[in-house]
Amino acid sequence: MSDNLELEGLRALVTGGTKGIGEAVTARLREVGATVLATARKRPGDLADAALFVAADLATVEGCAAVADAVRERLGGVDIIAHVVGGSSAPAGGFAVLDDGEWQRALDLNLFAAVRLDRALLPAMLDRGSGVIIHVTSIQRQLPLPEATIAYAAAKAALSNYSKGLSKEVSPKGIRVVRVSPGWVETDAAAGLIEEMAKKMGTDFEGARKALMDSLGGIPIGRPARPREVADLVAFLASPRAASITGTEYVIDGGTVPTV
């Protein structure tokens, strides 16, 4: 992909921007000339520019407000919002072990973080009549894994529905809203999980990696996606090259989802 994405000088916010997909999206947008404010709960040890990072827990009202304030104060507004933050720390054991607290945590992080930040930052975009919002969902909205992440999957399904509804409201006013739906992405955290699985299974890394792919029903291309590949897609969708794309979802899963 050419680096001529016409993002030079644009202002971007990337949530969950210091690890995994978020780190790759932050790096990619900076490569093509955007000024990127990244946010995460903890400040990374190798932070290059403190002015372009804000530590906040986006699962809270206060954390979202702090990030919105930082966007206004440090960037003077925003042209691109990439909602990457998400995940699940729920215990295994199916629906019965997920109490109200686990469900609320899943919704706060995977749905309400985007809702709250959009509500805070969209008005200025609408005043300008331009901007792009990208919501990172998950193929689990279609293929939930009930053993541990059913609340996460439900929250991502809600995020996808919200994103589609938002696109219908604001696209006629100049704001594009797009969804990116990754399957399994081999981040550093995922590699750590595979190593733990290998120990428990009494196998090697590749054996555990294959077992995990099999648990998803297989990945036709034979491997997980890479963070950079997701970041390339996000950067393209954020760019003027995708000027006619809004209200839709792009699945990047190596063919994991078996139906259209």
Side-chain angles (χ1 to χ4, degrees):
M1 181 185 293
S2 167
D3 279 352
N4 185 23
L5 293 179
E6 301 175 51
L7 294 176
E8 186 76 34
L10 294 185
R11 303 160 298 178
L13 169 67
V14 178
T15 68
T18 62
K19 293 181 180 179
I21 295 173
E23 181 181 23
V25 170
T26 296
R28 183 64 178 137
L29 291 177
R30 287 175 177 165
E31 280 178 11
V32 294
T35 299
V36 183
L37 178 66
T39 179
R41 284 183 297 176
K42 296 181 180 179
R43 184 181 297 272
D46 57 349
L47 185 63
D49 187 344
L52 293 177
F53 174 80
V54 55
D57 182 357
L58 291 181
T60 67
V61 173
E62 297 79 10
C64 289
V67 170
D69 287 343
V71 167
R72 298 184 191 103
E73 294 167 4
R74 303 182 197 182
L75 299 182
V78 69
D79 303 295
I80 301 161
I81 305 174
H83 292 286
V84 184
V85 71
S88 173
S89 58
F95 82 94
V97 303
L98 301 181
D99 59 16
D100 284 0
E102 292 292 349
W103 275 95
Q104 192 62 57
R105 278 188 284 276
L107 290 166
D108 282 338
L109 183 60
N110 296 287
L111 173 63
F112 288 128
V115 170
R116 289 166 178 152
L117 280 172
D118 290 346
R119 189 168 58 213
L121 298 173
L122 249 175
M125 284 182 162
L126 290 168
D127 287 343
R128 294 194 311 274
S130 66
V132 182
I133 297 173
I134 297 173
H135 296 114
V136 176
T137 61
S138 168
I139 63 168
Q140 283 202 49
R141 77 170 187 84
Q142 297 169 271
L143 294 174
L145 302 176
E147 173 60 21
T149 56
I150 191 169
Y152 165 82
K156 287 297 190 180
L159 176 63
S160 181
N161 186 278
Y162 156 74
S163 183
K164 179 63 175 178
L166 185 66
S167 75
K168 291 184 175 183
E169 179 180 357
V170 302
S171 292
K173 302 172 184 177
I175 315 302
R176 294 192 296 110
V177 183
V178 189
R179 289 158 283 158
V180 171
S181 180
W184 178 28
V185 180
E186 199 163 35
T187 61
D188 290 343
L193 173 63
I194 296 169
E195 289 172 356
E196 288 299 315
M197 285 180 59
K199 292 176 184 177
K200 292 178 181 178
M201 296 169 61
T203 186
D204 60 10
F205 185 90
E206 286 304 317
R209 189 172 184 261
K210 183 179 184 303
L212 185 50
M213 287 193 287
D214 290 345
S215 74
L216 299 172
I219 301 177
I221 66 169
R223 63 167 178 83
R226 301 182 179 104
R228 174 63 181 230
E229 292 167 340
V230 182
D232 280 338
L233 176 59
V234 170
F236 167 74
L237 292 172
S239 78
R241 289 189 181 184
S244 295
I245 297 175
T246 191
T248 192
E249 185 168 53
Y250 282 80
V251 176
I252 178 166
D253 70 345
T256 303
V257 177
T259 58
V260 175

